[in-house]
Amino acid sequence: MATTLERTSTSRLRGLRCRACHVLQPADERYVCGECYGPIEPEYDLAAFDTESLREEIGRGPLSLWRYAPLLPVAEPRGHFAVGWTPLVEAPRLGAAIGVARLFLKDDSRNPSLSFKDRPVAVALARALELGLDTIACASTGNLAGAVAAAAARNGLRAFVFVPAATDESKVAGAAAYGANVVRVNGTYDQVNRLCARLADEERWGFVNFTLRPYYAEGSKTLLFETAEQLGWRLPDHVVVPVGSGALLTRTATAAAQLRGTGLADGALRIHAAQPSGCAPVSDAVLEGYRAVHPVRDPVTVARSLAIGAPADGDGSVEIIRASGGSAGSVSDDEVLESCALLASTEGVLAEPAGGVVVATARALAARGTFADDESVVLYITGNGYKGTLAASSLLPAIAADADEFRATYAGALS
Ligand SMILES: *Cc1c(COP(=O)(O)O)cnc(C)c1O
Ligand SMILES: [Zn+2]
């Protein structure tokens, strides 16, 4: 399958390298190491890029994650919708409230299905099309189901998405509206995951987080590529990353290494993990001295999209955080919801609870003196609050269409 190695004119994909035994192998249909079944990842010949031509090529590229095609393992599929190139905005009012002098939000809640999962899915989908698959599937805590369902609809593929029965209703409803077969499973995400691992062996489907995982995970790099480009081709000093499986966090480090290796951007990026205390296997391992990750059996948290008790890239995340000089936060549900409200009311960005986890973690890190005043701090806001979970409208009073009743009910806000 040598042809799969040359996809775009400028991609310098060398093949897939095993993280356990380090053997480089061809980018054929394998999704684990052919030698030891370890995890494999695309590797590029970074030294072969000329920095200035690469920067120009990216600058000429589409306003989507496909502008980074030279550093992706697949070419842009025709007709897929634009994913990525989301805003990086300064957040001075939130910064003042949580004690961070130079705060930025990477607002990735503005993707086609309203979460950053559209990025990994875009790359996995391109690979599925390349392999001629007619069905894509996933195990999901909610957002991945929507991203897979939307991408399948857009490209005329069949989709099976598997979610814990307790998944946010609005996310289940969204995936179903896109026409996916939504399979609700009684059990935790880890149990859903085991079911999908079995089905991935038995069906010739593109399981985005199993059989397409080496490609899927690559999409997550583009969040840091964009952040660096939007900062004028500089790495931020700090980034706070919400952690579920750990794919986003570990690929943030991969992206930093590739930006440095190509000469596109430089700087010492410290990577911090954000998790809710009801499911914080990675943050707990970091905060208790960078030990190995102990799985959480029954995650209970309002941040359901991060409720992965046995993260696939858990130990890898801990290693990366330590190597980068980063830290972690483990924050309560109350802090999460309060932080969502604070983010919305100070900056006009309505995030799902994962965003509240990130803001609350940044506040905790700031209180510990992690950020110097001249250092840039970027928060990844990965999911949109309009997908549900926030305070229900029924919690607010309903008034008659009457000005006096309005003034009486809202006397406090009006004074
Ligand atoms: C999936 C998800 C994450 C975590 O991503 P991983 O790569 O699984 O660690 C963060 N935020 C949101 C909103 C998500 O849906
Ligand atoms: Zn191997």
Side-chain angles (χ1 to χ4, degrees):
M1 293 217 173
T3 52
T4 55
L5 286 173
E6 277 172 290
R7 295 203 184 81
T8 64
S9 53
T10 57
S11 178
R12 303 297 178 120
L13 183 68
R14 265 195 193 135
L16 302 171
R17 171 101 49 199
C18 176
R19 263 196 293 166
C21 74
H22 308 293
V23 169
L24 183 68
Q25 33 217 300
D28 55 18
E29 291 196 23
R30 75 187 71 200
Y31 58 95
V32 290
C33 175
E35 308 285 324
C36 75
Y37 298 101
I40 46 179
E41 283 175 15
E43 180 173 287
Y44 307 82
D45 183 7
L46 300 180
F49 288 108
D50 170 71
T51 306
E52 278 321 306
S53 352
L54 178 58
R55 195 173 282 156
E56 272 167 34
E57 180 176 352
I58 291 169
R60 280 195 310 271
L63 293 176
S64 76
L65 60 79
W66 294 110
R67 64 201 280 104
Y68 308 105
L71 290 165
L72 293 174
V74 275
E76 179 176 10
R78 224 164 297 148
H80 192 58
F81 40 39
V83 171
W85 200 247
T86 55
L88 179 79
V89 296
E90 287 183 63
R93 271 177 299 280
L94 179 63
I98 66 173
V100 182
R102 287 188 64 210
L103 187 65
F104 297 83
L105 307 173
K106 178 61 175 164
D107 184 4
D108 225 37
S109 70
R110 306 182 187 205
N111 271 308
S113 74
L114 304 186
S115 89
F116 101 96
K117 289 298 196 307
D118 288 317
R119 293 177 188 269
V121 168
V123 179
L125 175 111
R127 179 61 174 165
L129 294 175
E130 226 178 43
L131 294 172
L133 302 176
D134 61 6
T135 303
I136 55 173
C138 68
S140 171
T141 56
N143 286 324
L144 184 56
V148 163
R154 177 77 192 166
N155 293 274
L157 303 180
R158 186 171 63 151
F160 282 94
V161 299
F162 297 80
V163 296
T167 301
D168 301 325
E169 279 169 35
S170 54
K171 292 181 181 173
V172 173
Y178 287 125
N181 299 287
V182 181
V183 185
R184 292 174 70 231
V185 179
N186 283 313
T188 63
Y189 173 81
D190 292 306
Q191 289 168 311
V192 175
N193 212 31
R194 277 197 289 279
L195 166 64
C196 287
R198 161 116 197 237
L199 290 171
D201 275 345
E202 295 172 357
E203 308 283 343
R204 198 175 176 268
W205 296 346
F207 259 100
V208 301
N209 43 358
F210 293 96
T211 55
L212 299 171
R213 191 168 181 88
Y215 296 82
Y216 166 86
E218 287 286 283
S220 299
K221 293 188 310 191
T222 59
L223 210 45
L224 188 71
F225 289 163
E226 285 179 20
T227 300
E229 186 177 354
Q230 289 165 326
L231 287 172
W233 287 118
R234 255 199 308 273
L235 285 171
D237 295 297
H238 300 269
V239 61
V240 183
V241 184
V243 175
S245 74
L248 174 58
L249 188 140
T250 50
R251 274 44 174 213
T252 296
T254 308
Q258 294 179 352
L259 288 167
R260 293 188 195 106
T262 52
L264 284 174
D266 221 335
L269 173 70
R270 269 151 291 177
I271 302 175
H272 309 280
Q275 292 199 300
S277 55
C279 185
V282 168
S283 289
D284 287 347
V286 168
L287 293 169
E288 289 165 25
Y290 301 108
R291 57 162 169 75
V293 164
H294 301 324
V296 173
R297 207 168 275 280
D298 283 303
V300 182
T301 168
V302 66
R304 293 205 185 104
S305 54
L306 304 181
I308 298 184
D313 286 305
D315 286 334
S317 295
V318 175
E319 215 176 289
I320 276 163
I321 293 161
R322 176 176 42 208
S324 81
S327 186
S330 166
V331 295
S332 73
D333 279 0
D334 283 349
E335 291 173 285
V336 169
L337 293 176
E338 206 183 293
S339 297
C340 277
L342 184 66
L343 171 63
S345 62
T346 52
E347 301 295 345
V349 173
L350 186 62
E352 70 154 84
V357 173
V358 169
V359 170
T361 292
R363 169 177 253 168
L365 292 171
R368 281 188 243 145
T370 308
F371 313 127
D373 277 358
D374 61 344
E375 291 176 342
S376 52
V377 179
V378 173
L379 309 186
Y380 282 172
I381 305 301
T382 48
N384 199 300
Y386 281 108
K387 288 180 106 174
T389 325
L390 292 173
S393 58
S394 61
L395 296 177
L396 299 171
I399 62 164
D402 178 276
D404 291 337
E405 188 171 334
F406 161 66
R407 289 199 184 88
T409 311
Y410 286 90
L414 290 167
S415 65

